[in-house]
Short mmCIF file of all heavy atoms in Angstrom, two decimals:
data_model
loop_
_atom_site.label_atom_id
_atom_site.label_comp_id
_atom_site.label_asym_id
_atom_site.label_seq_id
_atom_site.Cartn_x
_atom_site.Cartn_y
_atom_site.Cartn_z
N ALA A 50 -11.96 25.48 1.59
CA ALA A 50 -11.52 24.78 0.36
C ALA A 50 -12.25 23.45 0.20
O ALA A 50 -12.65 23.06 -0.91
CB ALA A 50 -10.01 24.56 0.39
N ASP A 51 -12.41 22.77 1.33
CA ASP A 51 -13.12 21.47 1.27
C ASP A 51 -14.57 21.67 0.84
O ASP A 51 -15.10 20.95 -0.01
CB ASP A 51 -13.06 20.83 2.65
CG ASP A 51 -13.44 19.35 2.60
OD1 ASP A 51 -13.63 18.82 1.48
OD2 ASP A 51 -13.57 18.72 3.66
N ALA A 54 -14.71 22.52 -2.82
CA ALA A 54 -14.46 21.35 -3.66
C ALA A 54 -15.71 20.49 -3.77
O ALA A 54 -16.07 20.02 -4.86
CB ALA A 54 -13.30 20.55 -3.10
N MET A 108 -12.09 21.53 -10.56
CA MET A 108 -11.14 21.61 -9.46
C MET A 108 -10.06 22.66 -9.68
O MET A 108 -9.43 23.11 -8.70
CB MET A 108 -10.48 20.25 -9.24
CG MET A 108 -11.39 19.19 -8.63
SD MET A 108 -11.97 19.59 -6.98
CE MET A 108 -13.59 20.22 -7.36
N ASP A 109 -9.82 23.07 -10.91
CA ASP A 109 -8.71 23.97 -11.16
C ASP A 109 -8.77 25.26 -10.35
O ASP A 109 -7.77 25.69 -9.77
CB ASP A 109 -8.63 24.31 -12.67
CG ASP A 109 -7.97 23.18 -13.45
OD1 ASP A 109 -7.40 22.29 -12.80
OD2 ASP A 109 -8.04 23.18 -14.69
N PRO A 110 -9.93 25.89 -10.25
CA PRO A 110 -9.93 27.14 -9.46
C PRO A 110 -10.28 26.95 -8.00
O PRO A 110 -10.44 27.93 -7.27
CB PRO A 110 -11.02 27.94 -10.17
CG PRO A 110 -12.01 26.91 -10.61
CD PRO A 110 -11.19 25.70 -10.94
N VAL A 111 -10.41 25.74 -7.49
CA VAL A 111 -10.87 25.54 -6.12
C VAL A 111 -9.70 25.76 -5.15
O VAL A 111 -8.69 25.04 -5.20
CB VAL A 111 -11.49 24.15 -5.92
CG1 VAL A 111 -11.78 23.90 -4.44
CG2 VAL A 111 -12.75 24.03 -6.74
N GLY A 112 -9.83 26.73 -4.28
CA GLY A 112 -8.85 27.00 -3.24
C GLY A 112 -9.34 28.14 -2.36
O GLY A 112 -10.29 28.85 -2.73
N ALA A 120 -5.37 26.92 1.25
CA ALA A 120 -5.82 25.52 1.09
C ALA A 120 -6.30 25.32 -0.34
O ALA A 120 -7.04 26.16 -0.87
CB ALA A 120 -6.92 25.18 2.08
N ARG A 121 -5.89 24.22 -0.96
CA ARG A 121 -6.27 23.95 -2.35
C ARG A 121 -6.75 22.50 -2.50
O ARG A 121 -6.29 21.61 -1.79
CB ARG A 121 -5.09 24.16 -3.29
CG ARG A 121 -4.61 25.59 -3.40
CD ARG A 121 -3.54 25.72 -4.48
NE ARG A 121 -3.06 27.09 -4.60
CZ ARG A 121 -2.06 27.61 -3.89
NH1 ARG A 121 -1.44 26.85 -2.98
NH2 ARG A 121 -1.70 28.86 -4.07
N ALA A 122 -7.66 22.31 -3.49
CA ALA A 122 -8.13 20.96 -3.86
C ALA A 122 -7.85 20.76 -5.35
O ALA A 122 -8.12 21.65 -6.17
CB ALA A 122 -9.63 20.80 -3.60
N SER A 123 -7.32 19.60 -5.70
CA SER A 123 -6.99 19.33 -7.12
C SER A 123 -6.93 17.83 -7.34
O SER A 123 -7.03 17.02 -6.42
CB SER A 123 -5.64 19.98 -7.47
OG SER A 123 -4.58 19.28 -6.82
N PHE A 124 -6.75 17.45 -8.64
CA PHE A 124 -6.62 16.03 -9.01
C PHE A 124 -5.17 15.57 -9.02
O PHE A 124 -4.88 14.46 -9.42
CB PHE A 124 -7.24 15.78 -10.38
CG PHE A 124 -8.73 15.53 -10.31
CD1 PHE A 124 -9.62 16.58 -10.32
CD2 PHE A 124 -9.21 14.24 -10.19
CE1 PHE A 124 -10.98 16.35 -10.24
CE2 PHE A 124 -10.56 14.02 -10.10
CZ PHE A 124 -11.46 15.08 -10.13
N LEU A 156 -8.68 12.58 -4.54
CA LEU A 156 -8.70 14.05 -4.63
C LEU A 156 -7.61 14.57 -3.69
O LEU A 156 -7.55 14.21 -2.51
CB LEU A 156 -10.07 14.57 -4.22
CG LEU A 156 -10.29 16.07 -4.39
CD1 LEU A 156 -10.28 16.44 -5.86
CD2 LEU A 156 -11.63 16.47 -3.77
N GLU A 157 -6.74 15.43 -4.17
CA GLU A 157 -5.59 15.90 -3.39
C GLU A 157 -5.93 17.23 -2.71
O GLU A 157 -6.30 18.20 -3.38
CB GLU A 157 -4.37 16.07 -4.30
CG GLU A 157 -3.10 16.35 -3.52
CD GLU A 157 -1.88 16.36 -4.43
OE1 GLU A 157 -1.42 15.26 -4.80
OE2 GLU A 157 -1.42 17.46 -4.78
N LEU A 158 -5.77 17.27 -1.38
CA LEU A 158 -6.00 18.46 -0.60
C LEU A 158 -4.67 18.88 0.06
O LEU A 158 -4.00 18.04 0.69
CB LEU A 158 -7.05 18.22 0.48
CG LEU A 158 -8.45 17.86 -0.01
CD1 LEU A 158 -9.37 17.60 1.17
CD2 LEU A 158 -9.03 18.97 -0.88
N THR A 159 -4.34 20.16 -0.07
CA THR A 159 -3.08 20.66 0.53
C THR A 159 -3.36 21.95 1.30
O THR A 159 -4.26 22.74 0.93
CB THR A 159 -2.01 20.95 -0.54
OG1 THR A 159 -2.51 21.94 -1.44
CG2 THR A 159 -1.67 19.69 -1.31
#
Side-chain angles (χ1 to χ4, degrees):
D51 194 7
M108 288 297 99
D109 281 349
V111 173
R121 294 187 180 88
S123 71
F124 275 87
L156 185 67
E157 188 173 283
L158 298 178
T159 60

